[in-house]
Amino acid sequence: MRFVTKHDVLIIAKNSGRLMIGIGLMCLVPIIVDLGCLEFNAVGYIVPSLISICTGLICIKALDKYSSSRIRLKHGMILSALIWLWASLIGGLVFYFVTGINIIDGVFESMSALTGSGITIYPDVEILPYSILFFRAFQQWIGGLGILVLIISFLAKPGAVSSRLYQSEASDERFKPTIRATIIETLKIYGIYTLAGIILYVLAGMPIFDSICHTFTTISTGGMSIKNANIGFYHNDMINLVTIVLMILGATSFVVHYNIIKSRGRALIRDLQFKVIISLIAGTTLLIYFISNIVPMDILFHIVSAITTTGASIQSPTVMGTWPANVLIIIMTLMIMGGSNGSTVGALKLMRVLTFFKGIYKNLREVLSPNSVVNLEISGKKITDDLVAQSGNYITLYLIFILVSWILLCSYGHDPFNSLFFAISMQGNVGLEIGQMSQTLELPLKVVGIFSMWVGRLEIIPVLVTFRAFFEIFKR
């Protein structure tokens, strides 16, 4: 049985048009900074933008007869996977034209920014043009909500198409009657927190340009800084605390944010995932404090950075590499878990982890008492056996991808422990490093990194569906 036909491919190509146009328009935004700073790199943004916009227009015009064709979930998943690659390619062209790096490095940097991974290829980011620093931060801000989510809120028509694209980008929570209304409300919340973050950073003593860029990268749980020393550059505890608050906000579900005002703050306190995040932060911070000699602020900051998959840091990767192995294992565990569903975080996400362990609990109860009926619930919602199985399957796939990346990193002679940390960081779109591995990656490993970050952001299934589609196409 064929799962993907020529008709399916043409439907996908048709619906990619508006998204390509949106990506092209996003590449034009940094020109404002370029002109304001008299850097004269506008052509480096305009050329990739025109490539994307023109390709999008061709898809729309040439395939207009497929406008009425029904878009299915498989179309949405394949389209989502391909558009993330397209956005990374177009962004990579910007880095190529403006900074002169090779195209693979450019795509790696772009994928890292868009997926919120925050790993940079550049050994010295402080010499980069201001427009490029803004572009990286803007990419993270866009990628935090999801490329498709933002584009369909402005360009796509409401209805089945928006719904399928929203589902395909691992976004399944809504708090408004329609997908578009949910996206618009989410964007409002995101915008309010972004503005608040900029103001708080300025009040804490950070320059305005730095405040804008770091708010973009922190609220999106991306962590890609405009300073080589990341947040540690400022040596300011108030800035550290503002960053911690923004990271936690970014890792909290937008459904909870939406309900905070209605419930006068009770929605936040009642949310199980938020309570788990705070408990894990408090518990692991205290544990590491008692088993190590690390400065308390360093512990708290990096614990929050790990579980929110932000990747912001106040210590260099070299210093973190000297921390005790048991401390780094705790941080890796948090990097695998991640924060709340319906937020900007990467990794597994807490709801899957909680569902998985609930399933283990049910199995144990059934073994100990075969005749008992065990009903599972999380926050008053019933958990079905199918949901438990899906969580278990996803966690297994996720760990397999980490294992493969780890093996490939080790195959090139990199330190096994550092390689495992880096593989987890790429797959979870985190960005924390020990030992500056990103600066020593061989070309094939950069391609592996691009793939890992892409798979991690899309939560694997859309990528597997896309590979299956291409396998069927080329098999013929």
Side-chain angles (χ1 to χ4, degrees):
M1 178 182 176
R2 291 182 176 179
F3 293 96
V4 178
T5 64
K6 179 182 177 182
H7 185 74
D8 293 322
V9 173
L10 294 174
I11 291 173
I12 292 165
K14 160 64 184 173
N15 285 282
S16 68
R18 289 177 180 270
L19 302 175
M20 289 178 176
I21 292 170
I23 291 165
L25 293 175
M26 285 190 289
C27 290
L28 296 176
V29 175
I31 294 177
I32 299 169
V33 178
D34 179 77
L35 294 175
C37 296
L38 302 177
E39 292 174 340
F40 308 110
N41 291 313
V43 174
Y45 298 98
I46 292 172
V47 172
S49 175
L50 288 176
I51 291 172
S52 192
I53 291 172
C54 292
T55 306
L57 289 172
I58 290 170
C59 288
I60 291 173
K61 296 296 182 182
L63 302 171
D64 186 59
K65 64 180 180 180
Y66 293 94
S67 298
S68 59
S69 298
R70 182 185 173 192
I71 186 169
R72 301 178 183 274
L73 183 57
K74 65 179 179 181
H75 300 143
M77 286 192 169
I78 296 169
L79 181 54
S80 176
L82 295 178
I83 283 297
W84 276 88
L85 283 179
W86 179 261
S88 298
L89 175 61
I90 296 299
L93 287 174
V94 170
F95 291 119
Y96 169 76
F97 285 124
V98 178
T99 68
I101 60 175
N102 68 65
I103 192 63
I104 296 297
D105 283 359
V107 174
F108 185 100
E109 190 79 11
S110 184
M111 181 67 80
S112 178
L114 287 166
T115 59
S117 301
I119 301 167
T120 184
I121 287 294
Y122 294 105
D124 185 0
V125 300
E126 293 177 27
I127 64 171
L128 296 175
Y130 281 100
S131 59
I132 280 292
L133 294 175
F134 176 81
F135 181 58
R136 293 156 81 241
F138 185 61
Q139 279 186 304
Q140 291 209 289
W141 191 81
I142 294 293
L145 277 186
I147 298 170
L148 305 189
V149 166
L150 280 171
I151 292 174
I152 63 179
S153 67
F154 292 107
L155 298 179
K157 297 176 182 178
V161 174
S162 297
S163 178
R164 294 306 186 194
L165 293 178
Y166 188 72
Q167 286 179 275
S168 70
E169 205 169 51
S171 304
D172 54 4
E173 295 190 1
R174 67 168 80 177
F175 42 84
K176 285 285 188 177
T178 66
I179 293 295
R180 187 158 187 168
T182 297
I183 293 172
I184 295 297
E185 199 65 38
T186 299
L187 192 55
K188 287 179 184 177
I189 296 167
Y190 201 50
I192 290 169
Y193 284 141
T194 300
L195 181 61
I198 293 169
I199 293 169
L200 288 172
Y201 271 137
V202 170
L203 292 175
M206 189 182 283
I208 183 66
F209 180 77
D210 298 27
S211 299
I212 293 170
C213 290
H214 280 117
T215 300
F216 280 5
T217 62
T218 306
I219 197 65
S220 63
T221 61
M224 187 177 274
S225 179
I226 63 172
K227 301 295 182 183
N228 294 328
N230 210 283
I231 299 298
F233 170 86
Y234 301 98
H235 301 288
N236 184 323
D237 282 343
M238 281 303 300
I239 289 176
N240 295 345
L241 290 173
V242 170
T243 305
I244 288 170
V245 170
L246 290 177
M247 289 191 289
I248 293 172
L249 287 174
T252 304
S253 171
F254 281 102
V255 177
V256 175
H257 290 309
Y258 177 75
N259 290 322
I260 284 175
I261 297 175
K262 286 185 173 181
S263 65
R264 297 180 182 177
R266 290 191 295 271
L268 190 65
I269 299 170
R270 291 172 181 168
D271 183 58
L272 176 62
Q273 293 181 95
F274 180 78
K275 288 189 285 189
V276 171
I277 289 173
I278 299 301
S279 299
L280 285 171
I281 290 170
T284 52
T285 299
L286 287 172
L287 175 61
I288 292 175
Y289 176 76
F290 287 117
I291 65 174
S292 71
N293 295 317
I294 303 172
V295 176
M297 177 55 79
D298 288 357
I299 299 171
L300 176 61
F301 191 97
H302 292 95
I303 286 296
V304 174
S305 183
I307 195 167
T308 61
T309 71
T310 304
S313 62
I314 54 177
Q315 283 294 353
S316 69
T318 306
V319 171
M320 287 183 64
T322 64
W323 289 358
N326 52 2
V327 171
L328 295 175
I329 290 170
I330 292 170
I331 290 174
M332 284 192 284
T333 303
L334 296 175
M335 285 162 58
I336 291 173
M337 293 173 65
S340 302
N341 273 20
S343 68
T344 63
V345 301
L348 288 174
K349 297 188 174 65
L350 284 175
M351 190 55 70
R352 279 199 189 94
V353 177
L354 292 171
T355 301
F356 178 70
F357 280 108
K358 283 277 189 178
I360 293 175
Y361 166 76
K362 180 180 180 180
N363 289 339
L364 290 174
R365 282 284 305 271
E366 288 174 345
V367 169
L368 293 171
S369 180
N371 296 322
S372 64
V373 177
V374 183
N375 294 318
L376 299 182
E377 289 185 357
I378 293 181
S379 299
K381 295 181 180 179
K382 188 177 179 182
I383 300 174
T384 63
D385 290 340
D386 285 345
L387 195 57
V388 172
Q390 288 172 16
S391 296
N393 292 340
Y394 182 79
I395 290 172
T396 302
L397 279 172
Y398 190 90
L399 295 178
I400 287 172
F401 275 95
I402 289 175
L403 178 62
V404 172
S405 297
W406 183 26
I407 291 170
L408 291 172
L409 288 166
C410 291
S411 298
Y412 277 81
H414 293 283
D415 177 77
F417 193 83
N418 290 2
S419 296
L420 177 59
F421 195 99
F422 194 66
I424 291 171
S425 187
M426 289 192 299
Q427 181 75 23
N429 306 132
V430 182
L432 287 174
E433 290 185 66
I434 52 174
Q436 292 281 24
M437 281 195 66
S438 60
Q439 306 303 318
T440 60
L441 285 180
E442 293 79 4
L443 186 64
L445 292 182
K446 290 174 183 176
V447 176
V448 171
I450 292 168
F451 179 79
S452 293
M453 293 184 287
W454 178 51
V455 168
R457 181 58 180 84
L458 284 165
E459 299 194 352
I460 300 176
I461 303 302
V463 175
L464 295 181
V465 170
T466 303
F467 280 156
R468 173 61 191 267
F470 273 93
F471 174 74
E472 284 197 0
I473 292 168
F474 288 111
K475 185 180 177 182
R476 298 167 200 168

